[in-house]
Amino acid sequence: MSAQTDPNQEAYRADAERAADLSELLGHVNTSWDNERRALSRQLHDSLGSSLTALTMHLSLLTQKMPQEAPLLDRAATMKQLLLNVIETNRQMQMKLWNDKLEFLGVNVALSELAAQFAEQHKITVRCSLPEDELMCPRNVGVALLRTLEEALSNIAAHAQATEVDIIVDDNDEGLMLTIKDNGVGLPANKPVEMSKHGLRSVRERVHYLGGTLALSAHPQGGTILQAILPRILPKE
C-alpha cells in the first residue's frame, strides 16, 4: 500500500521552492543591474568625461590666442562655465550609477565619504565608526553594504526627522555587520515592524541572496536601527 502524500506538505514544499527560485532570480537581476550600471559609469568617464576635459583645454588655448576683447572674453568665460557645469553633472551621474571609490579606494572610503556627503547635504550630525584596517570582502558584499547605507540614509532624510545618525561597521572572521542608528521619530506605534518600502525590500533581498540578514527595529531610546549582517564567504551558487 503506497503512502499518501500530505497536501499541506506538498503545498509548503512548492511555496518554498518558488520562494527560492524568486530569490535566486532577484539576486541575478541585482548582479546584472550592478554590472550594467558599472559599465555605463565607466563609459561616461572614459568617453564623455575625457571629451569634455579636452574641450575645456581647447577652449582655454583658444581664449589665449583670440583678440583680448571684453565681449569675446565674456563669451569664452560663459562657455567655460557651461562646460564645467556639464563636467560636474557627468561626474554626479557616474557616482549615482556606480561608486568608483568602492572599487579603487575600498569599502571604508566609499562608506565614510557617503556618510560625510549626507551630513553636509542634510545638516545632520553623522558619526561613522569603521575598522582601522580596510574591509576585505567580495565586491558583491561591498556593494550590498553601500546599497544598504544609501537606502538607510535616504529613508532617514525622507521620514525620520533625525538630527543624529550613527554608522557602525563591525568586522570579524565570520562576517561583517553594518548598523545604522538614528534619533528620529521612530517606527509607528502598535504596528508590527516590517519593511514596507520597496527600497528596503530590495536591499533585504540583495542581502539574503548573499547569505546574510537585514533587520529593522525600534531604538530603545527613540529612532530606528537598521542592521545588515553579511558573511565573509559567499554561499555557493
Side-chain angles (χ1 to χ4, degrees):
M1 181 176 180
S2 60
Q4 293 184 348
T5 302
D6 187 341
N8 292 331
Q9 290 184 349
E10 286 294 327
Y12 177 80
R13 186 180 298 110
D15 289 343
E17 290 176 353
R18 178 173 174 77
D21 287 343
L22 289 175
S23 178
E24 193 280 331
L25 175 61
L26 186 54
H28 174 72
V29 169
N30 277 329
T31 300
S32 300
W33 186 32
D34 289 338
N35 290 336
E36 288 292 334
R37 287 163 62 114
R38 179 172 176 267
L40 182 55
S41 176
R42 295 308 305 167
Q43 187 176 359
L44 286 173
H45 177 273
D46 296 339
S47 180
L48 183 58
S50 58
S51 297
L52 290 171
T53 301
L55 276 174
T56 303
M57 296 173 63
H58 287 308
L59 179 59
S60 296
L61 181 60
L62 182 61
T63 302
Q64 295 174 11
K65 300 295 183 180
M66 72 183 190
Q68 300 298 292
E69 300 175 4
L72 293 176
L73 292 174
D74 288 344
R75 181 61 60 87
T78 299
M79 292 173 64
K80 183 176 181 180
Q81 186 58 53
L82 287 172
L83 271 173
L84 292 176
N85 291 344
V86 175
I87 290 173
E88 176 59 21
T89 300
N90 182 52
R91 187 192 69 82
Q92 292 178 6
M93 290 173 60
Q94 292 174 41
M95 289 296 294
K96 288 181 179 179
L97 285 169
W98 186 260
N99 193 329
D100 268 352
K101 292 183 175 62
L102 180 67
E103 199 158 2
F104 297 111
L105 299 179
V107 181
N108 287 29
V109 172
L111 294 177
S112 60
E113 290 203 1
L114 177 61
Q117 291 169 3
F118 175 82
E120 181 178 357
Q121 180 179 357
H122 298 281
K123 309 304 178 186
I124 294 176
T125 299
V126 178
R127 293 178 290 269
C128 198
S129 176
L130 301 174
E132 292 184 3
D133 296 330
E134 174 59 31
L135 296 173
M136 304 303 296
C137 60
R139 190 179 79 181
N140 289 11
V141 173
V143 173
L145 290 172
L146 188 63
R147 294 283 182 256
T148 300
L149 182 56
E150 287 175 345
E151 185 61 29
L153 294 179
S154 175
N155 285 334
I156 289 172
H159 309 292
Q161 302 175 29
T163 59
E164 297 182 0
V165 177
D166 288 286
I167 300 167
I168 305 166
V169 176
D170 294 312
D171 181 14
N172 58 50
D173 292 337
E174 295 183 357
L176 305 169
M177 181 168 66
L178 169 64
T179 305
I180 305 109
K181 305 177 184 177
D182 69 72
N183 68 340
V185 297
L187 299 169
N190 302 321
K191 288 187 178 181
V193 176
E194 58 182 13
M195 300 184 193
S196 58
K197 304 296 181 183
H198 289 296
L200 279 176
R201 291 164 65 185
S202 177
V203 170
R204 179 188 62 191
E205 292 304 319
R206 179 190 290 271
V207 170
H208 283 184
Y209 178 67
L210 297 176
T213 60
L214 186 72
L216 179 67
S217 60
H219 194 291
Q221 298 176 350
T224 58
I225 302 174
L226 184 67
Q227 190 171 78
I229 301 176
L230 285 153
R232 186 174 299 281
I233 300 176
L234 297 181
K236 294 182 180 180
E237 297 184 358

